[in-house]
């Protein structure tokens, strides 16, 4: 176990004293005492929240050890001084670490250093009262064994309940640069408004009204404005799982020859329509500050729940085409983006909303401080990224997790239909239907059905599964065209093993936004498509708190300087997170590998040499792989697999003498031919070597183990655990290409059967520590059972190994 | 999807009117109206909780369809009458069923019947106001698509919030025989007391004090006493996973010969010590009603959370040897039982508790109505069963789930060490250490360590892994010796696929308690060791509510007559629960099968025939099976498996012509020999036949999808789903025996190598529908990789098939 805290703010002693006073640890009763033991006892009394009398305090104190021989009750009664050892023995126990198991009572400092917990600056073995105050301050800022700061642990036990209605408490209340839970979560105001967006996507002659669900502190209003976390989630009003499933496309279809063309980008570029011929805005009848609709339970993100107790408002909106809103689903196009930012514009005071859909009674967000952040993962994070690329007023930052930055990179790749991992057959139309929650209300659906059927057919047509090419449909859904508009600071999070939203999405966003443009930070974890806010080993929630306290409350807490630009979870050591200056740096050094019979080598072959494999499998094996993709993947990578031996090429390096730190997008350069006039190739970069590896799905360490504050919502405490058994390999990254898209993804190249062509493919970006003794492997194959179409066609591919190579970027140390 | 509601109480119309008035659906504004449409509209207005104005009500109504063509808003505005069709179309939508997907607007009644939802008695197609009131009443009692009654759905949306502080509301408030959530869950009183138990298990010269955590409604007190749900959970103060793991026993050890003896039960019977030489009770200094200690978050059972909003107090206690309590862990012995019921005795007013551990200030539970139920699963349910066998005053009923009734049946079987499934190497000592949470507090542990080390060594010694025999240690832990003392009514729940706490535990309890002794009910589900209170397909929570409202509040709601004696989830059809009169009836008819070469046959072989198998596996296969028990199990059952072919015998029936309904404990009679002077045999009864079967672990349908009431704790909505792929077999039940325990489990029989012996083994009880076309299989083998010790010894077993048979009890239809 290691503790990785990035969001502890260095704080001057004078400020520590002020903050300790603000949170009532220092008060008239103890701040001037000259006796360390009395001061310590007063701190302990305030933090033993369950003990309501001296007798029960003594009982709790007697249950902790202060030294190897003496319990805390005895120590407090018999000693005058507070030794460093006693302080930290007790501190560790308060943080739920256990003597013998996690540390030795004889020597707590060794454990503190190992676990990476902060030790106060001190002169002697016994602490002065000033040192004790400071030590207590740092203890409050320190993570416990479950990855929660001690002050948040106290909050969960009710420390701040008396602050809720105490008019002497200045709100928001900060500690160590972060906001505290001093707002009663059971007094939240829950409101619904309907924001009028500047478009009419369902063509009913009226501007779309979009439902927004608001939760905000009871204290908020025009005299106490609050920052806003806005999560745009097309899922949160319900989904159509059954009708969505029915639309899933058959992926067992053949690849076909595409007619070559000479298309330029201009031919397929999407341009905003100039004249939208919009209906007139609604005529406002009157304006109010009182809503007419409420709700009981929103579909919430637990990170937002945490901030609800800390004085932030949270707004959820599902957007066009969802239950209770107007419009139709479009899966990522500019109309969706416009509907997403309409909510922000209302929160920023530059757009109208109404109390219901009929009476034209306008309502303002007079409680909003006009500083808005967006949060969420996957489609939710995608819409945050989309909103950022508009430069909309009021959006100060986005915390965008596992987000798409171009929908072509989600459903396509280099002229191929490429499924998000685990969802073969899904496409933009399926997702549109899945999220079209207007279907869930029969009365509403009844009216919109013909419009929706037409729109859905249009998406199916325009997404073009036939060619897999980048076209106008996909260009309209490429947010990266507008990176220059971004004004919001970026806090990006992505899994290096996310094969649903593949890492290229975040890498290209990271690369495309300059350091001079906005502040940007990125956290890369070792998981797949998951949230990391309930992890024990990284203080993500504290990072978000520090970040948002700065961005939305304008507090000068040093968030931007304190947080590393890049935090990467180590893929070798569990619960270890490292800081770096950059990721996917185009200037990174590279290593070049040539191919021989089955070797990745530093030396190029002297003579041309051709290796061939066939894509076609016996029917029973093909059917089995379709049903059991894990088995296919294992056979693909395992050299001795008989079934796959003639159906892919494996090249492996010698065993490495030193660790390699891969950082960026590996590139495969090939001279290759297909014996048909069509063809596709897939690539996997593999770490070969026996090792106990981290799981890519988090395990639940404690169900409901993380309270967002006292008597409020809870999250499951999670962590990536190490597998108990070692594995022989791990896939590092992968890539795909249609042999007719050698030039780019929108124009089609000729492909003559049997002729050799040169091509170059950029694999998905990575950050990967490859251990000495392991081997780097590259697998070249065609059908990818989890991602490509699967025609099981009789196609043979041949490689001129002399003219092929692999270029791997390395992290510049 | 089918709806199985067992807890809907038949209710006279006059009572329906009274209850509708109590819950404010009928009031001065609507109860005398003669216009059905007005009455219906008023009901709808009261239930559309998010709409706070007429405009928003209209908007919500317009989102529902009343007929194929007309939405609800239009219907309410244009019609005078309420048609049965419109009422149930809207009702189904209110219950979250979806037109087109779940039902047809043209014919809602067909869907209602199929889903098993109650339709009101009616005269005509248009409902009278009385019929409408009754229809609304039944709608409120009906489950929605997620398995929650409509009235609980309304509660989750805030319907009863205004009842919390309304002095006109009589509490507790009932509807359809069940209590309603009219108590504010954020105003709960949380208290800790220390109950003085009548023993000194840690021999410190003082009677053990036991910590109890109490949650109770703010309203409770001596003028408003409330019923109590008490959950005894040795886990709830924390566990010692690491030190517990270290104690796990090596199971890869050889089986050895046991010296024959002639022990009788009297030789090993446990007798309560007559003279306990107890310390004196504490001298009470004063008595109070105010506690001195509180807590923030108990480790709760969600079923208890549900009742907390419904006016029940909930008490958690972990018992002797747990954090903050005195004593030591004993894993199931009478001392543990005495500590368990001490809490009940305090709640019933016949035992003392103190406010802290030092000051001798006594406190009474003056808020308790002295009617107590126990709840919980596994060890928790076990302690409920244990408590029931004492006949303790105040304990009116236990809802005991997946509970042990004799610890020998948990860790041993027929003279063998048999692990709970999934935990090879666990034993009574491991569990004692695991739950000894006094270790978690170093100050306390420091003092108790020598006592605990001694106690633990004693348990390790006495549990006797060497022989596996039933002895005094296990006799002390056999609650079934005291079944005659049971006075509490029993609501038992067990999984028919629970191989952790095996079904014999509940079957012997069920059989051992007479119908004239107490009221008893049992629910058998198709899962393993899990809770069923958040399932969609059965109204377990409503059943518990009906049951406890009767048992603890003394309400004459017909619970005992209404609920079937036996509810069994069908193993073939998903989400289907059937009622029966009895289970494991000793008088059930049986079918007898004889063995031939590999056949289970109706006819006995004409001549003796011997079949032999060897237990010893090649070392690499043995090691692989140790690591991969699922693979072993699959190879064991699969006839064509090469690795297992000589290591077990398989007998299969012909394909069945008709379904069989197995009910009870199958019995295997054998004439058998071992070629060593020791030996063990294991048995599995198998359903051979390709079928898509239910999973034994529930899937989460909606995370946090079930609210216990508005803005309160939530549970994940779950269900056993059908596997998407068919499987070739399913294990029905299993059993084990040491060949030296042919007579019973406490006396050792001689075993001479090579000599044939007759023996008879009762397998674990089952209730299983075996489909026509399938085959019944019996596997006879020795080492069970998941449960027995695994010596991989060179032992050969031979069976005289002519003299062997299988007897299968069938459900009497």
């Amino acid at each position: 176990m290691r503790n990785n805290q990035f969001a502890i703010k260095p704080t001057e002693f004078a400020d520590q004293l002020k903050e300790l006073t603000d949170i009532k640890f220092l008060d008239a009763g103890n701040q001037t005492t000259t006796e360390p033991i009395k001061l310590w006892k007063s701190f302990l009394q305030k933090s033993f929240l369950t003990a309501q009398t001296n007798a029960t305090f003594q009982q709790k104190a007697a249950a902790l050890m202060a030294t190897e021989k003496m319990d805390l009750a005895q120590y407090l009664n018999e000693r005058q001084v507070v030794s460093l050892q006693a302080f930290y023995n007790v501190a560790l126990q308060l943080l739920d670490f256990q003597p013998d198991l996690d540390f030795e009572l004889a020597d707590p400092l060794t454990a503190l250093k190992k676990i990476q917990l902060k030790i106060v600056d001190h002169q002697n073995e016994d602490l002065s009262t000033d040192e004790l105050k400071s030590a207590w301050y740092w203890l409050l800022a320190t993570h416990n064994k479950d990855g929660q700061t001690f002050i948040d642990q106290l909050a969960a036990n009710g420390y701040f309940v008396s602050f809720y209605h105490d008019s002497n408490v200045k709100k928001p209340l900060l500690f160590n640069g972060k906001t505290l839970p001093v707002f009663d979560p059971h007094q939240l105001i829950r409101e619904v408004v309907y924001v009028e967006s500047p478009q009419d996507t369902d063509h009913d002659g009226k501007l779309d009204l979009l439902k927004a669900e608001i939760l905000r502190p009871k204290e908020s209003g025009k005299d106490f404005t609050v920052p806003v976390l806005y999560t745009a989630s097309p899922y949160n009003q319900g989904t159509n799982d059954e009708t969505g499933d029915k639309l899933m496309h058959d992926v067992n279809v053949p690849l076909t020859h595409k007619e070559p063309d000479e298309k330029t980008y201009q031919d397929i570029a999407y341009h905003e329509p100039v004249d939208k011929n919009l209906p007139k805005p609604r005529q406002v009848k009157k304006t109010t500050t009182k809503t007419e609709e409420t709700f009981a339970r929103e579909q919430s993100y637990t990170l937002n729940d945490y901030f609800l107790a800390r004085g932030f408002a949270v707004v959820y909106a599902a957007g066009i085409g969802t239950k209770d809103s107007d419009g139709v689903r479009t899966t990522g196009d500019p109309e969706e983006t416009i509907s997403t930012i309409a909510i922000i514009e209302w929160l920023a005071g530059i757009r109208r909303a109404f109390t219901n859909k009929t009476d034209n009674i306008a309502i303002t967000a007079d409680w909003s401080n006009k500083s808005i952040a967006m949060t969420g993962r996957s489609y939710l994070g995608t819409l945050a990224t989309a909103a950022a690329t508009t430069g909309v007023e009021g959006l100060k930052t986005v915390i965008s997790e596992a987000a798409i930055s171009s929908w072509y990179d989600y459903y396509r790749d280099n002229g191929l239909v490429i499924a998000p991992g685990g969802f073969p057959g899904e496409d933009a139309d399926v997702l549109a239907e899945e999220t079209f929650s207007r279907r869930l209300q029969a009365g509403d659906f009844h009216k919109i059905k013909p419009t929706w059927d037409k729109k859905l057919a249009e998406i199916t047509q325009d997404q073009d599964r036939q060619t897999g090419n980048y076209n106008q449909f996909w260009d309209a859904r490429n947010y990266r065209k507008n990176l220059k508009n971004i004004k919001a600071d970026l806090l990006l999070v992505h899994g290096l093993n996310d094969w649903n939203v593949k890492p290229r999405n975040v890498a290209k966003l990271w690369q495309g936004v300059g350091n001079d443009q906005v502040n940007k930070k990125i956290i890369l974890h070792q998981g797949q498509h998951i949230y990391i806010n309930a992890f024990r080993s990284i203080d993500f929630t504290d990072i978000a708190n520090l970040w948002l306290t700065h961005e939305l409350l304008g507090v000068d807490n040093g968030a931007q300087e304190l947080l590393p630009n890049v935090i990467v979870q180590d893929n070798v050591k569990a619960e270890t997170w490292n800081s770096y200056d950059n990721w996917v740096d185009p200037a990174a050094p590279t290593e070049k590998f040539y191919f021989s019979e089955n070797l990745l080598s530093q030396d190029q072959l002297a003579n041309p040499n051709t290796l061939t494999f066939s894509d076609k499998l016996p029917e029973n094996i093909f059917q089995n792989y379709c049903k059991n993709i894990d088995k296919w993947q294992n056979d693909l990578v395992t050299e001795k697999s008989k079934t796959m031996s003639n159906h892919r090429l494996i090249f492996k390096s010698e065993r490495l003498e030193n660790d390699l730190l891969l950082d960026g997008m590996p590139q495969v350069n090939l001279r290759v031919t297909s014996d048909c006039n069509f063809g596709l190739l897939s690539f996997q970069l593999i770490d070969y070597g026996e090792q106990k590896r981290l799981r890519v799905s988090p395990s639940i360490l404690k169900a409901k183990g993380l309270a967002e504050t006292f008597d409020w919502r809870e999250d499951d405490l999670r962590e990536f655990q190490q597998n108990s058994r070692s594995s022989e390999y791990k896939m590092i990254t992968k890539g795909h290409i249609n042999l007719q898209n050698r030039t780019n993804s929108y124009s089609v190249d000729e492909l003559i059967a049997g002729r050799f062509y040169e091509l170059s493919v950029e694999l998905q970006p990575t950050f990967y520590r490859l251990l000495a003794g392991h081997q780097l492997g590259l697998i070249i194959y065609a059908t990818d059972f989890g991602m490509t179409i699967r025609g099981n066609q009789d196609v043979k591919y041949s490689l001129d190994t002399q003219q092929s190579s692999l270029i791997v970027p390395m992290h510049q140390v």
Side-chain angles (χ1 to χ4, degrees), chain A:
Chain A
M1 150 125 37
R2 277 157 60 96
N3 190 30
N4 302 274
Q5 281 188 264
F6 296 97
I8 297 183
K9 174 183 166 252
T11 303
E12 297 291 330
F13 183 60
D15 292 329
Q16 293 176 17
L17 294 181
K18 184 186 169 305
E19 291 181 26
L20 286 172
T21 308
D22 287 347
I23 62 171
K24 306 188 184 178
F25 265 106
L26 281 178
D27 57 24
N30 67 4
Q31 66 193 349
T32 56
T33 185
T34 55
E35 296 172 65
I37 198 78
K38 279 200 181 159
L39 182 63
W40 193 31
K41 187 174 176 185
S42 74
F43 288 158
L44 291 167
Q45 282 173 321
K46 287 167 190 276
S47 50
F48 284 18
L49 294 160
T50 61
Q52 295 167 322
T53 62
N54 185 52
T56 44
F57 172 76
Q58 294 292 338
Q59 189 178 313
K60 299 288 158 202
L64 305 181
M65 292 302 276
T67 69
E68 302 100 296
K69 301 279 177 205
M70 195 183 281
D71 71 40
L72 175 59
Q74 211 181 340
Y75 194 99
L76 291 174
N77 291 336
E78 297 179 9
R79 299 289 175 96
Q80 274 78 51
V81 297
V82 178
S83 74
L84 197 69
Q85 183 198 7
F87 182 86
Y88 282 110
N89 275 334
V90 172
L92 281 165
Q93 289 169 81
L94 293 177
L95 297 174
D96 279 334
F97 293 98
Q98 219 181 314
D100 300 339
L101 214 59
D102 301 310
F103 72 101
E104 298 300 324
L105 289 163
D107 178 19
L109 298 199
T110 298
L112 285 169
K113 284 169 201 153
K114 189 174 155 222
I115 308 171
Q116 302 195 6
L117 301 183
K118 191 171 171 66
I119 304 162
V120 71
D121 293 334
H122 55 280
Q123 299 283 333
N124 303 302
E125 283 312 294
D126 292 330
L127 295 170
S128 70
T129 52
D130 277 358
E131 285 167 354
L132 196 54
K133 288 171 187 172
S134 193
W136 192 260
Y137 181 90
W138 293 121
L139 172 59
L140 289 168
T142 298
H143 267 199
N144 65 14
K145 196 171 176 179
D146 286 348
Q148 196 171 35
T149 58
F150 186 51
I151 198 165
D152 275 349
Q153 175 186 323
L154 291 174
N157 287 321
Y159 187 85
F160 292 109
V161 169
S162 69
F163 288 53
Y164 292 168
H165 307 291
D166 180 345
S167 56
N168 292 322
V169 172
K170 203 182 121 264
K171 298 183 183 181
L173 185 61
L174 302 191
F175 180 77
N176 194 242
K178 298 174 280 290
T179 54
L180 290 170
V182 294
F183 297 84
D184 187 349
H186 301 296
Q187 297 279 325
L188 292 172
I189 296 167
R190 289 173 166 82
E191 299 172 321
V192 171
V193 301
Y194 294 88
V195 173
E196 189 186 54
S197 83
Q199 54 189 1
D200 176 19
T201 63
D202 54 14
H203 306 292
D204 68 349
K206 289 181 282 185
L207 292 180
D208 292 344
L209 287 179
L210 303 170
K211 177 182 174 183
E213 294 171 332
I214 300 154
L215 299 108
R216 59 186 177 91
K218 194 183 179 186
E219 294 87 338
S220 63
K222 72 179 192 316
D223 298 325
F224 184 73
T225 62
V226 293
V228 190
L229 304 185
Y230 162 40
T231 300
S233 163
Y235 305 116
N236 81 20
Q237 299 295 306
T239 51
N240 302 310
D241 299 344
E242 302 187 40
T243 55
D245 273 357
K246 276 191 203 146
L247 285 188
M248 289 291 262
H249 299 273
D250 183 6
V251 294
N252 290 354
V253 296
L255 188 71
T256 53
H257 180 73
K258 302 194 270 195
E259 270 316 300
D261 60 31
E262 307 252 306
K263 278 198 180 138
T264 65
Y265 173 69
Q266 283 321 314
D267 294 330
I268 56 92
Y270 171 82
H271 301 286
E272 288 274 338
V274 181
D275 180 13
K276 291 194 184 175
N277 197 13
L278 284 178
K280 282 202 186 121
R282 286 164 179 79
Q283 199 80 31
V284 174
K285 260 200 184 151
K286 67 172 188 180
T287 297
T288 181
T289 56
K290 195 170 153 42
T291 59
E292 298 183 36
E293 188 178 337
T294 184
F295 58 95
R297 179 61 162 110
E298 78 290 2
Q299 213 183 77
S300 75
Y301 173 20
T302 48
L303 184 70
N304 294 342
D305 293 340
Y306 163 91
F307 282 104
L308 274 173
R310 285 160 176 82
F312 291 68
V314 173
V315 173
Y316 293 93
I320 41 175
T322 62
K323 183 166 152 282
D324 289 330
S325 291
D326 296 335
V328 291
R329 303 293 311 149
T330 61
T331 310
D333 83 335
E335 289 187 331
E336 185 182 55
T337 303
I338 290 167
S339 90
T340 302
I341 65 171
I343 310 292
I344 299 173
E345 291 167 330
W346 175 66
L347 292 165
I350 54 178
R351 176 164 299 288
R352 287 196 320 232
F354 296 96
T355 57
N356 63 51
K357 291 174 92 170
T358 48
D359 296 351
N360 297 340
I361 303 168
I363 182 158
T364 55
D366 62 350
W367 47 265
S368 160
N369 80 349
K370 302 185 176 163
S371 291
I372 298 118
M374 288 186 75
T375 60
R377 180 187 55 93
S378 196
Y379 205 156
L380 292 57
T382 301
L383 295 178
T385 297
T389 60
T390 67
V392 60
E393 188 178 330
L395 185 65
K396 304 294 184 196
T397 185
V398 297
I399 302 182
S400 181
E401 306 186 51
I404 295 164
S405 65
S406 170
W407 286 81
Y408 190 81
D409 285 338
Y410 188 63
Y411 284 126
R412 302 286 184 273
D413 197 8
N414 291 321
L416 289 175
V417 171
I418 294 294
F423 299 93
E426 197 191 289
D427 214 327
D429 55 351
V430 178
L431 187 58
E433 170 58 33
E434 181 84 22
T435 54
F436 180 68
S437 47
R438 289 185 74 174
R439 182 186 292 277
L440 296 174
Q441 298 197 121
D444 184 36
F445 179 61
H446 184 68
K447 291 152 201 147
I448 192 70
K449 185 174 187 304
T451 306
W452 176 239
D453 289 346
K454 185 158 162 272
K455 179 70 193 178
L456 195 58
E458 187 186 307
I459 296 177
T460 302
Q461 171 73 26
D462 294 349
Q463 69 193 5
D464 180 19
R465 288 181 72 84
Q466 197 51 44
T467 73
N469 290 341
Y470 188 91
N471 61 14
Q472 205 177 58
F473 178 88
W474 298 109
D475 196 50
R477 287 159 176 80
N478 182 354
Y479 307 122
R480 296 200 297 260
K481 290 166 62 183
N482 302 311
L483 293 186
K484 64 180 182 313
N485 298 336
I486 293 180
K487 288 183 207 143
D489 289 339
L490 304 176
L491 177 53
L492 308 175
V493 180
H494 215 102
L496 288 164
N497 289 296
D498 190 343
W499 301 106
N500 181 325
V501 176
K502 302 178 190 84
R504 179 184 297 145
N505 284 282
V506 74
K508 298 269 177 188
L509 172 60
W510 177 255
Q511 286 179 327
V513 177
N515 277 319
D516 46 351
Q517 185 180 343
V518 295
N519 284 294
K520 59 171 191 172
K521 308 282 176 187
I522 187 166
I523 301 175
L524 299 166
H525 58 81
Q526 289 298 330
Q528 16 126 302
H529 197 57
I530 53 111
Y531 279 118
I532 60 165
N533 64 309
F535 274 57
R536 175 172 73 182
S537 66
I538 183 170
D539 60 339
F540 180 70
T541 301
D542 302 339
I543 290 173
N545 192 330
L546 193 81
W547 184 259
L548 294 174
T549 298
H550 170 71
E551 295 279 348
L552 305 190
L553 288 165
V555 173
D556 179 20
N557 61 11
Q560 291 170 355
E561 301 75 42
L562 197 55
L563 299 176
N565 289 337
V566 178
I567 299 175
V568 184
Q569 186 184 13
D570 195 73
N571 59 296
V572 176
K573 274 183 84 171
E575 309 201 17
T576 305
W577 302 74
N578 300 312
S579 307
Y580 302 94
D581 271 349
N582 201 357
W583 176 54
V584 290
D585 183 350
T590 58
E591 291 234 14
K592 185 167 185 176
F593 295 92
Y594 294 99
F595 303 166
S596 69
E597 200 59 46
N598 50 20
L599 214 66
L600 282 183
S601 149
Q602 311 287 74
D603 308 312
Q604 194 165 8
L605 276 183
N607 300 309
N609 184 36
T610 302
L611 292 177
T612 299
F613 69 93
S614 153
D615 196 37
K616 190 169 176 65
L617 293 167
E619 183 63 17
N620 62 332
I621 292 173
F622 171 76
Q623 290 299 344
N624 187 25
Y625 283 160
C626 287
K627 276 185 250 167
N628 197 338
I629 293 172
D630 288 347
K631 168 128 184 68
W632 162 76
Q633 172 68 26
N634 195 50
D635 287 352
L636 176 82
V637 182
T638 307
E639 282 169 290
K640 62 184 178 194
S641 156
K642 281 176 199 154
T643 43
M644 284 302 291
S645 62
N646 297 317
H647 303 287
R648 47 90 171 103
L649 302 174
I650 300 187
F651 302 93
K652 282 169 80 170
S653 73
E654 301 289 350
R655 288 189 187 281
L656 299 174
E657 288 179 17
N658 300 104
D659 289 5
L660 288 185
L661 193 54
L662 282 59
D663 173 357
M665 305 170 204
Q667 187 182 313
V668 182
N669 303 307
L670 296 180
R671 198 165 165 270
V672 71
T673 176
S674 161
D675 70 347
C676 297
N677 64 354
F678 56 85
L680 71 90
L681 283 178
S682 300
F683 310 90
Q684 291 190 14
L685 205 62
I686 306 288
D687 165 10
Y688 281 104
E690 185 120 353
Q691 189 188 336
K692 285 184 184 170
R693 294 183 163 91
L694 293 181
R695 297 191 189 132
V696 297
S697 294
S699 309
I700 293 181
L701 302 180
K702 284 191 188 177
K704 301 184 182 175
L706 266 190
E708 308 301 355
T709 197
F710 176 74
D711 188 25
W712 180 227
R713 295 173 182 169
E714 296 157 335
D715 209 343
D716 299 333
L717 182 71
R718 289 181 289 252
E719 195 65 57
F720 298 119
Q721 291 188 311
Q722 206 142 26
N723 270 314
S724 54
R725 281 192 250 168
S726 60
S727 58
E728 287 170 12
Y729 68 86
K730 163 137 191 13
M731 186 187 79
I732 302 170
T733 183
K734 64 196 298 188
H736 305 278
I737 192 167
N738 187 317
L739 298 191
Q740 292 197 268
N741 290 79
R742 303 185 301 276
T743 311
N744 57 48
S745 57
Y746 47 85
S747 69
V748 177
D749 302 316
E750 181 54 284
L751 185 74
I752 295 168
R755 181 179 290 184
F756 274 89
Y757 296 95
E758 290 187 354
L759 59 85
S760 181
V761 191
E762 204 170 58
L763 307 189
Q764 293 288 335
T766 188
F767 193 107
Y768 195 88
R769 186 181 306 276
L770 194 62
L771 292 181
H774 287 209
Q775 292 168 283
L776 181 65
L778 178 71
I779 301 176
I780 301 179
Y781 61 108
T783 298
D784 185 318
F785 278 77
M787 294 191 179
T788 65
I789 56 171
R790 310 180 295 208
N792 201 25
Q793 291 162 283
D794 192 6
V795 191
K796 286 187 192 61
Y797 299 92
S798 301
L799 191 69
D800 174 359
T801 51
Q802 193 206 25
Q803 297 301 319
S804 299
S805 64
L806 165 70
I807 295 171
V808 184
M810 297 290 159
H811 188 79
Q812 177 97 56
V813 188

